[in-house]
Amino acid sequence: MKTLIKNIELLKTPAYELANICIENDKIVAVGDIPEGFAPDMVIDGKGKLATSGMVNTHGHVSMTLLRSYADDLALMDWLNNHIWPIEAKMVAEDIYWGAMLGITEMLKGGTTCFADMYDFMEDVAKASCQLGIRANLCRGLIGLGPDEVTNKRIADNNVLADNWQGAENGLIRVTYGPHAPYTCPKEYLLKIKEEAIKRNCELQMHLCETQFEVNSCKEEHGMTPIEWVDSLGLLDLGMISAHSVHLSEHDLEIMAEKKVRVAHNPQSNLKLASGIAPVHKMLEKGITVGLGTDGASSNNNLDMLEETRAAAMLHKATTYDPLVVPAAKAWEMATCDGAKVLGFENTGKLEAGQMADIVLWDMHKPYWYPRHNKISQLVYAANANDADTVLVAGKVVLEGGKLTQFDEERIYFEAERCAKALIKK
């Protein structure tokens, strides 16, 4: 299958200069001029639109869309212990599936083509991802508190996910293991997870250094920071996606750089839960790869990656008093190619030949897109996620004219609302 996107604008070309993108099957084969002999099976007219690579949401709990605005304006541990974990315990596979369908719909309609997820009933999230055509890095959330039969079952669930879904849909699905956090995973449990992950050659996703409470608790119990502790157990040697990474010591940063820990930075979730502001400038100085994430829709409350990109660009200017620390271009890299590196998808995130064809066409016929002095600044500082008009993942059109091509949106909204209402009544 050969696809031509014609009459399109690109971020790095002058305003109103038109180019072409040539796609063969799931890969980009040319950007700019059409190669001689390229005969497309499908042509997409990109007139009035800007083409970019799709954004990558490096951390979240997608089925939390069912709990959007359910428990707000609370501290993290109160939010978790007294509100979120009790209602999550009532969720069944159907809830997870329709919550995922809703969240993935929201992401695709906002220009996100790849996401990470840590939750329960993850095979249902994998199913939803494949049905809607999004790229995903998935893990079972692993909490080591409770009876052995319960905690061991969680690891078994992650094993099944890895055995059944690793590399599914021609590499659309990637599986990791998801130890939740240092305060929910005792040493012996983490070592069990490590053993199973090594067997399946899987990396890890984990909440690390999200709050000062977490760091203090870890120091009191183990005499080390969370980063130091998981490193002492050898977890960082497997490949680690560290979600949040807000409260880091200089030694933590050195370890993370040495062990090539990749960070999922969640600026808006951290602000809303008053967790703090991650030292992104220090991470970047150390050469640590930093991507962006929304976290779950119960702690954000949307899955709008363009908002996160803008927040990352602005927030660190204010905390460092340096307007150059995260310019628009760097924020966009964090949202795209750097995020793809965080999730282990090295072959996506850039709009160039050889990359996977994960592409967003943004409708620029909006007042805030005029005049076009600097398109990357307008995208990061002025645009709206609803401007995403057409989305391709692995060369397949999954959003056209702002509407899903693979599933009935109205059914997704109906089923998600039905599940959420029933969940509250349980």
Side-chain angles (χ1 to χ4, degrees), residues 88 105 109 167 177 185 192 211 220 251 261 343 356 401 422:
E88 283 181 336
T105 298
K109 287 171 74 72
Y177 277 71
C185 292
K192 286 182 184 179
T211 64
E220 289 174 10
H251 189 225
V261 174
L343 298 191
M356 299 300 288

Side-chain angles (χ1 to χ4, degrees), residues 247-285:
H247 300 276
L248 301 173
S249 68
E250 288 299 321
H251 189 225
D252 289 338
L253 289 163
E254 291 170 5
I255 292 171
M256 293 166 73
E258 179 187 349
K259 294 300 176 74
K260 294 181 168 48
V261 174
R262 293 104 69 195
V263 172
H265 173 41
N266 304 265
Q268 292 193 113
S269 174
N270 294 156
L271 287 171
K272 186 182 176 215
L273 290 170
S275 299
I277 299 171
V280 166
H281 62 293
K282 292 184 178 181
M283 297 184 209
L284 297 178
E285 288 171 359

Side-chain angles (χ1 to χ4, degrees), residues 73-245:
D73 303 325
L74 299 166
L76 175 64
M77 298 315 295
D78 179 20
W79 179 76
L80 282 173
N81 288 313
N82 300 320
H83 301 273
I84 297 303
W85 283 342
I87 196 166
E88 283 181 336
K90 301 175 183 178
M91 296 176 89
V92 296
E94 184 184 34
D95 299 324
I96 300 301
Y97 171 74
W98 287 113
M101 291 291 278
L102 179 63
I104 293 167
T105 298
E106 182 179 353
M107 286 190 281
L108 288 174
K109 287 171 74 72
T112 295
T113 56
C114 179
F115 76 108
D117 202 54
M118 174 194 289
Y119 221 52
D120 196 357
F121 299 105
M122 290 305 295
E123 288 198 275
D124 290 277
V125 178
K127 178 183 174 183
S129 300
C130 292
Q131 282 185 303
L132 295 181
I134 197 169
R135 197 177 300 278
N137 183 322
L138 308 176
C139 65
R140 170 57 159 102
L142 303 173
I143 293 177
L145 306 178
D148 286 348
E149 60 268 25
V150 174
T151 59
N152 289 335
K153 170 66 165 54
R154 292 170 182 150
I155 297 177
D157 288 346
N158 212 141
N159 292 343
V160 171
L161 180 71
D163 292 341
N164 291 346
W165 290 92
Q166 186 70 275
E169 294 292 298
N170 294 318
L172 210 63
I173 304 298
R174 183 177 173 87
V175 176
T176 44
Y177 277 71
H180 174 262
Y183 54 88
T184 56
C185 292
K187 176 181 177 180
E188 295 74 17
Y189 194 63
L190 286 175
L191 294 177
K192 286 182 184 179
I193 294 169
K194 177 184 173 183
E195 181 181 354
E196 295 300 330
I198 289 173
K199 285 180 186 177
R200 292 166 177 81
N201 194 30
C202 288
E203 296 188 323
L204 307 176
Q205 297 184 48
M206 191 173 187
H207 299 85
L208 286 170
C209 302
E210 182 175 3
T211 64
Q212 194 63 58
F213 166 82
E214 175 199 328
V215 175
N216 292 343
S217 298
C218 193
K219 285 181 176 179
E220 289 174 10
E221 185 173 359
H222 304 291
M224 293 178 275
T225 68
I227 293 290
E228 291 169 339
W229 186 54
V230 296
D231 184 42
S232 74
L233 300 179
L235 298 186
L236 301 187
D237 298 321
L238 277 64
M240 175 67 77
I241 300 166
S242 175
H244 301 293
S245 304

Side-chain angles (χ1 to χ4, degrees), residues 302-376:
N302 60 35
L303 306 181
D304 186 335
M305 276 293 296
L306 202 54
E307 274 191 10
E308 298 298 333
T309 308
R310 185 172 300 140
M314 292 186 173
L315 184 62
H316 301 291
K317 290 173 171 57
T319 58
T320 62
Y321 298 96
D322 180 0
L324 307 180
V325 66
V326 181
K330 182 57 185 176
W332 184 248
E333 287 181 357
M334 291 164 68
T336 53
C337 56
D338 290 348
K341 290 177 186 175
V342 168
L343 298 191
F345 292 108
E346 297 280 351
N347 59 347
T348 189
K350 295 181 180 179
L351 204 60
E352 60 185 40
Q355 289 273 293
M356 299 300 288
D358 297 356
I359 300 169
V360 179
L361 307 186
W362 302 89
D363 180 4
M364 294 190 289
H365 192 53
K366 306 287 177 69
Y368 40 81
W369 278 102
Y370 293 95
R372 293 175 198 158
H373 296 302
N374 185 321
K375 286 181 285 188
I376 196 163

